[in-house]
Amino acid sequence: MGRLDVVNQFMTLRSAQKNDEVLALCADAFELDHFKDGKVSGKAAYADYLKTHEPPNGTAEAPVEKDGGIVEVKGTVRKMMMNWAYTIEFKFADGDELVHGVRVFR
């Protein structure tokens, strides 16, 4: 499975709240840097994060591979009756395991 496929699968599974399957795509050292929630380090901590944070309600564009092996997803979420644009950058370990996700509003 290629990196774009992994990110597509991650986004689909996260939206469906299939947390165990989301975690299967992540390396043990997975880190999330979230604009609002701060940094979550390690797969176990990310598992706890998934239990307490519902996926955002919104839309996402198809992932795009960038330089340095980064895969980027842009989209919008609806919060407080407003649409907010966001970007998520995914980084990978050797192979196709996710090791880092950064979510920022743009």
Side-chain angles (χ1 to χ4, degrees):
M1 181 180 331
R3 292 178 173 184
L4 294 176
D5 295 327
V6 170
V7 171
N8 266 327
Q9 191 174 17
F10 179 95
M11 298 295 289
T12 299
L13 293 170
R14 178 71 177 112
S15 294
Q17 292 184 300
K18 294 185 177 185
N19 296 343
D20 289 338
E21 295 173 54
V22 168
L23 292 169
L25 299 172
C26 299
D28 289 339
F30 181 79
E31 290 186 342
L32 171 70
D33 284 321
H34 193 280
F35 71 96
K36 183 179 107 188
D37 300 325
K39 189 172 192 169
V40 177
S41 295
K43 189 185 260 188
Y46 187 54
D48 291 340
Y49 175 89
L50 291 175
K51 291 176 192 171
T52 58
H53 292 79
E54 291 188 18
N57 179 16
T59 60
E61 298 172 8
V64 175
E65 198 151 359
K66 300 287 189 175
D67 290 338
I70 294 172
V71 175
E72 181 180 85
V73 175
K74 293 183 179 187
T76 59
V77 293
R78 185 127 178 108
K79 295 264 187 196
M80 298 179 288
M81 299 177 52
M82 295 178 64
N83 289 324
W84 298 84
Y86 69 84
T87 301
I88 305 174
E89 290 184 349
F90 293 96
K91 296 179 183 175
F92 292 81
D94 293 335
D96 293 332
E97 273 190 323
L98 293 166
V99 291
H100 196 87
V102 179
R103 182 175 186 153
V104 296
F105 279 102
R106 52 182 163 93

